[in-house]
Amino acid sequence: MIIVPGQAGKDLCDPHLGMTRRDLLRVGGSGLLGLSLGSMLHLQAASAKAADQTGGGALGAPGWGKAKSIIMVYLQGGPSHLDLWDPKEGVPDNVKSVFKKISTKVPGIDVTENLPKLSQITDKFTFIRSMSYTPNGLFNHTAAIYQMMTGYTTDKVSPSGQLEPPNPKDFPNFGSQIIRLRPQNVPMLPFVMLPRPLQESGVVGKGGTAGFLGKAYDPYTLYPDGDDMDQTKMERIKVEDLQLRPEVFALRLQRRAKLRDALNAGMKAVDEAVSDYKLNEYYDRALSLVASGRARDAFNIQAEDDKTRDLYGRNTFGQSCLLARRLVEAGTKVVEVIWPKVANSDNHSWDHHSDLTTRMRDRSGPMLDQGLSGLLIDLDQRGMLDDTLVVAVGEFGRSPQKGVSTSGNGNSADGRDHWPYCYTAVVAGAGIKRGNVHGQSDKTGSAPLSDPVHPGELLATIYHTFGIDPATMVMNHLNQPRELVKADALTRLFG
């Protein structure tokens, strides 16, 4: 016999009603904010059973398992390393940056005048000045983004370097792999991407999905209304799908959970048949996420005081970095902050084929300097940099020589083309050395002079910090085993 706990209808907003056939049907369907999310959580946990088998020889190596979360600040478009954080002197005029070199808090580490705020906190992070790869159809944004985000190249690259739109056969974004192998233990969104998708021209989202892992591991995407020039869009964040519908408050939703439990209790045979699936556990986790309000509260950047909001900068990028900190603080494992301008475009895009001086000085440079420095300062002051990995990187750098074409694009005398052979990344937190430079570029910033770092090695290092062996095997859409990434972690980055 099925016994429904509580007096029928008494804890509803419509207490004159008792339990109806519709109530029973709703429990069976469980479409209301519960089972679809619960199913996703179930799929995530099911695929994570092999997670703790990782480790191998990496176990105990420097940096192993130090990170609880990661904030990837993805500078899509390819910022010029020569005009930001790898200045060169004594070089030809068509190579030398127009921006002055300035000293930083760490003696011997210099940046350009575009980064006055970051120059004062170089004691908090490591520069990797030897990021490099030899392109194979990867001179343009989409293919290079795909490699950086997944660790794999693709054999379907057009002459321009662009790819087809995302499809279920794609290799997964590294964030999807992390939340599969290290699932959440708190009722919080595991993987969030904001404030816009990865994009080159009409190719949107390539490298930003779970691919063959399935949609259960896709990121929660927060793309506020407004175009890329709207610097106030973060004030209009909408997260309706994380709110209880007006007609269903928490008590009512919880009553439905009790009703479901009662039905399950009266169906012993069914319970035994599905016991391995732990349906109650996944439903309860989904219910907790929606009813607790934890995610909704994290998205409320208006709760921050003016001083903190000003620290990050009152623009889309700065407030996205602030939101990333709030999400990680609430329990999100992976946050990817995508630079708020499509890769191949103008204004504050990093794709400086022309008008580099004005755009870098007045738009992209100041936004990056304030937003990234604010993030690192805030995390450190809160003690969160100890277990939060921060990575800031683009898909490539810019050509040492101005006004030349390396990718088939036109470039003005005040512009630099795509350059994957040498560029810079910033890494911080989770045991990464502070006040450090890893690798060195040659005298013109054209190639690594020492310790070249492939994007795959950077991804391997990210996995390593989560206690995940980069060589862990995952089954693709054809049920073929593939490594997370074919590279080793850079353990020398850790102190």
Side-chain angles (χ1 to χ4, degrees), residues 236-372:
R236 301 190 301 277
I237 294 173
K238 296 179 180 179
V239 286
E240 286 88 349
D241 50 343
L242 292 177
Q243 296 175 356
L244 290 173
R245 299 178 185 176
E247 70 274 18
V248 184
F249 57 91
L251 187 60
R252 186 171 185 174
L253 188 61
Q254 288 162 357
R255 179 182 182 275
R256 290 178 180 173
K258 292 179 180 178
L259 177 59
R260 187 240 21 227
D261 291 342
L263 287 170
N264 285 345
M267 300 172 68
K268 183 177 180 180
V270 175
D271 279 347
E272 292 176 354
V274 300
S275 60
D276 289 342
Y277 294 97
K278 300 181 181 178
L279 296 180
N280 285 340
E281 174 187 344
Y282 305 119
Y283 186 97
D284 289 343
R285 286 171 58 192
L287 180 64
S288 296
L289 173 58
V290 176
S292 71
R294 188 170 188 150
R296 297 193 307 277
D297 291 344
F299 282 119
N300 182 21
I301 58 174
Q302 285 81 11
E304 295 286 341
D305 59 44
D306 287 342
K307 182 179 179 181
T308 302
R309 296 196 68 184
D310 291 341
L311 174 68
Y312 284 82
R314 298 281 186 148
N315 52 61
T316 303
F317 176 68
Q319 297 304 293
S320 294
C321 289
L322 172 55
L323 182 52
R325 188 270 291 166
R326 289 181 61 85
L327 288 167
V328 165
E329 198 169 32
T332 294
K333 200 169 294 287
V334 181
V335 182
E336 293 184 15
V337 177
I338 310 301
W339 187 257
K341 194 75 171 73
V342 63
N344 53 339
S345 59
D346 53 11
N347 289 289
H348 56 279
S349 165
W350 291 112
D351 202 24
H352 293 140
H353 292 283
S354 62
D355 200 19
L356 182 151
T357 301
T358 299
R359 291 166 58 190
M360 179 76 81
R361 181 191 63 216
D362 299 338
R363 300 166 194 164
S364 49
M367 287 170 59
L368 172 66
D369 186 44
Q370 186 163 12
L372 184 57

Side-chain angles (χ1 to χ4, degrees), residues 195 223-230 233 236:
Y223 303 153
D225 293 338
D227 62 28
D228 288 354
M229 295 304 294
D230 185 348
K233 64 170 63 178
R236 301 190 301 277

